[in-house]
Amino acid sequence: RALTVGSPRIFYGATLFYLAFGLLNAFAVRRRLATAYVQLVLQASVDLGALLLILFACGGVMSGLGSLFLVPVGGLAFLLPTRSALFLAALTALSMLALTIWQQLSGGTDLSAYATAGVLGAVLFIVAAAASFVESRMRESEDLVRQKDVDLANLAELSQYIVQHLRESLLVVDDDDKIRLINESAAQILGAERAVPNALVGEIAPRLLYGLSTWRTHERQTDPPPNFVAADGARLIQPHFAPLGSRPGGPTLVFLEDTSAMAERVQQSKLAALGRLSASIAHEIRNPVGAMSHAGQLLAESPRLDTEELRLTTIIQSNAERVSTIINNVLQLSRREATKPERLALAGWLEGFLAEFIETMQIPAQTLRVTAAQPVAEMHGGAPIEVRFDPSHLRQVAWNLCDNALKYGADGVDVRLGRLALNNRPFLEIADRGPGIEIQAVDRIFEPFFTGRKGGTGLGLFIARELCQLNRAVLLYEPRPGGGSVFRIVFADPQRWEE
């Protein structure tokens, strides 16, 4: 039925006041002009007063407008404590009952209005109690969610701290070959400036991407992935891959292992075994080999030998010399004397060494080509490149590398010196254009007694790396672009020299 307004002036005045208060209260809430408690008390008072005036102007509870009280009472019950919410419901019910009594005494309604007022009062209590119950459960849920958020944030911070400060170097790569997570140790290996989240692995470390792609294609392969040189050019890194999750094509966890520390432990074990063996070699093998070599020389001087017999004596002497060389190398390795490092101007030392090498080997001077990463006079503020190395050790290492490059190379030897761009450490490279080293043999070339050619002892590169380690340098191998091999000596950091 149509709404009957008995007092239009009161109705319109209360309605306009209610609207103005609502706008003003919205502005106050937005600007936070009052505390939450003051706003709640003021809102409840205005709601109760304005709605009672509207209810009075429309004829009381029989007009059906009493249900308007459900909205403010229920809404405020979400914001007030349970006792305050029930008090508000009781106050509203009593106000409607008092209004009904007033109208009944003035003849504006009948006795049936009391039943309506009672039902509305009961409904108000039910709404207030239900809203308070829902509010308490929501508050508990909110507190639980907030605590979970704090726990998750703490767990994330803890995980991030652990990952960043792990001694192990690790990163996570997604199926688009982008870095999703990387710790500080791995960033130092790959280059801290470029190895950042969302960077492409192929742009930072192409050989790492090659190993990752090969592993994804043959995930159950037993052969280890190929290693690669770190961004500082002074370490050899062995990657290990593991899938994250069970979804095919998902992210991959990559562990980067610095093989230098592991190789040093292995080498120490091998050296200990060689040291124990060297005494027996000296007594049990060296003397008999010397006797055989001497006997072969005497036999070769006999005038009654024909050509075939002379060839056999030559075989005896050459193999005896080879065995003697092996023995001398092993004895030299087991007797490693203390280093006597000196400050060496690398360009000047290299000039003298190459002159001696060319004269001794009787090769054309153009066979050895020397280049610099940049003009030597411009390096490091115009100062010459200085290294700290035992001169006799450096000569032995360089001689071995140049000799190998001559034997395997088809187009001379390229010698290059300079400083690494990332950490300014001096380096010396010896490269050739030979057949290179097969990828499956790369990890073994520095092992003792491993050789790739007939007649080799397998100790040259092993001793060369050991001598470099004694002088706090690193000897690395890389395949040369276009074919061939590159052996690089990375010298100790000049900032960490100890006198």
Side-chain angles (χ1 to χ4, degrees):
R1 59 188 178 87
L3 180 64
T4 301
V5 179
S7 302
R9 182 176 297 179
I10 296 177
F11 178 81
Y12 288 120
T15 303
L16 291 175
F17 171 77
Y18 205 12
L19 175 62
F21 174 78
L23 296 175
L24 195 63
N25 194 43
F27 176 78
V29 170
R30 187 176 184 84
R31 293 299 184 92
R32 301 183 181 273
L33 298 179
T35 63
Y37 179 76
V38 172
Q39 290 176 355
L40 287 175
V41 172
L42 186 62
Q43 183 72 52
S45 302
V46 173
D47 285 343
L48 181 59
L51 289 178
L52 281 174
L53 288 175
I54 293 173
L55 191 63
F56 173 76
C58 294
V61 295
M62 298 304 294
S63 65
L65 294 180
S67 58
L68 292 176
F69 287 97
L70 297 176
V71 176
V73 170
L76 290 172
F78 275 102
L79 304 175
L80 293 170
T82 302
R83 293 179 62 181
S84 299
L86 294 177
F87 174 77
L88 178 63
L91 184 62
T92 304
L94 290 174
S95 299
M96 287 191 301
L97 183 60
L99 178 62
T100 303
I101 294 173
W102 169 263
Q103 289 182 330
Q104 196 270 330
L105 291 177
S106 61
T109 186
D110 53 17
L111 294 176
S112 62
Y114 289 103
T116 303
V119 172
L120 279 173
V123 172
L124 287 174
F125 271 101
I126 293 174
V127 170
S132 296
F133 175 75
V134 172
E135 184 273 337
S136 64
R137 297 303 299 268
M138 291 177 62
R139 190 179 298 277
E140 291 176 0
S141 300
E142 183 181 2
D143 292 340
L144 181 60
V145 170
R146 186 180 294 110
Q147 183 61 42
K148 293 294 185 183
D149 288 341
V150 172
D151 293 341
L152 286 175
N154 292 337
L155 185 60
E157 290 181 3
L158 178 61
S159 301
Q160 184 73 7
Y161 179 85
I162 292 174
V163 168
Q164 291 297 330
H165 291 80
L166 276 175
R167 288 188 298 174
E168 287 78 10
S169 306
L170 58 89
L171 65 152
V172 177
V173 180
D174 62 14
D175 51 353
D176 294 325
D177 299 327
K178 290 184 178 180
I179 297 176
R180 290 304 177 197
L181 175 67
I182 183 169
N183 68 354
E184 184 178 351
S185 178
Q188 292 296 327
I189 289 177
L190 298 178
E193 295 182 356
R194 298 186 301 162
V196 295
N198 294 323
L200 289 171
V201 177
E203 296 179 353
I204 300 170
R207 284 184 61 81
L208 175 60
L209 178 60
Y210 169 74
L212 178 60
S213 302
T214 303
W215 176 82
R216 284 171 175 167
T217 306
H218 310 286
E219 188 168 336
R220 299 185 181 276
Q221 65 178 356
T222 57
D223 296 333
N227 51 34
F228 64 96
V229 179
D232 59 9
R235 290 177 289 176
L236 199 61
I237 307 302
Q238 176 66 60
H240 303 277
F241 307 108
L244 276 181
S246 56
R247 181 175 64 89
T252 304
L253 181 61
V254 183
F255 293 90
L256 303 179
E257 182 181 15
D258 185 354
T259 61
S260 58
M262 180 178 63
E264 184 175 356
R265 291 192 295 268
V266 173
Q267 299 289 23
Q268 292 301 327
S269 300
K270 293 179 178 179
L271 285 175
L274 285 173
R276 291 190 296 268
L277 184 63
S278 60
S280 298
I281 292 177
H283 292 88
E284 303 297 333
I285 301 178
R286 192 174 192 181
N287 293 335
V289 168
M292 286 189 295
S293 178
H294 185 63
Q297 291 176 1
L298 294 177
L299 183 61
E301 296 174 358
S302 175
R304 292 177 294 179
L305 297 180
D306 56 20
T307 303
E308 182 64 22
E309 291 171 337
L310 285 173
R311 188 181 67 83
L312 295 176
T313 59
T314 303
I315 293 175
I316 294 174
Q317 292 181 29
S318 61
N319 282 274
E321 289 176 359
R322 182 188 172 205
V323 174
S324 180
T325 301
I326 294 175
I327 294 172
N328 289 334
N329 288 335
V330 172
L331 290 176
Q332 179 189 18
L333 196 60
S334 63
R335 292 195 306 261
R336 289 195 303 183
E337 301 175 354
T339 59
K340 299 177 181 178
E342 299 178 9
R343 284 177 177 265
L344 303 174
L346 189 57
W349 178 90
L350 183 60
E351 183 179 355
F353 166 78
L354 293 179
E356 179 188 0
F357 185 82
I358 291 171
E359 182 179 357
T360 303
M361 301 300 292
Q362 295 296 304
I363 57 176
Q366 60 270 22
T367 305
L368 297 178
R369 297 178 293 272
V370 181
T371 58
Q374 58 189 30
V376 175
E378 298 177 7
M379 293 182 183
H380 202 55
I385 300 177
E386 285 192 343
V387 299
R388 194 166 185 267
F389 216 97
D390 187 318
S392 63
H393 290 174
L394 184 56
R395 178 188 179 280
Q396 183 174 349
V397 173
W399 194 286
N400 180 275
L401 297 178
C402 289
D403 184 54
N404 285 345
L406 278 179
K407 292 176 181 176
Y408 292 102
D411 187 28
V413 180
D414 293 308
V415 182
R416 182 171 175 262
L417 71 160
R419 293 184 183 274
L420 297 176
L422 187 63
N423 53 21
N424 207 39
R425 289 177 65 172
F427 71 87
L428 175 64
E429 285 183 354
I430 297 173
D432 63 66
R433 285 297 182 187
I437 298 175
E438 296 180 357
I439 189 170
Q440 60 269 25
V442 168
D443 295 335
R444 301 186 59 195
I445 58 175
F446 293 106
E447 293 182 1
F449 303 112
F450 177 81
T451 180
R453 64 182 178 89
K454 185 178 180 181
T457 64
L459 289 172
L461 289 177
F462 173 68
I463 294 176
R465 172 172 275 192
E466 288 296 312
L467 293 177
C468 286
Q469 290 178 352
L470 280 175
N471 291 271
R472 300 188 179 182
V474 180
L475 178 60
L476 300 171
Y477 164 79
E478 284 186 6
R480 188 176 186 183
S485 302
V486 177
F487 286 90
R488 180 186 303 115
I489 305 171
V490 182
F491 297 93
D493 186 355
Q495 302 299 326
R496 299 183 180 181
W497 285 356
E498 296 179 3
E499 297 295 344

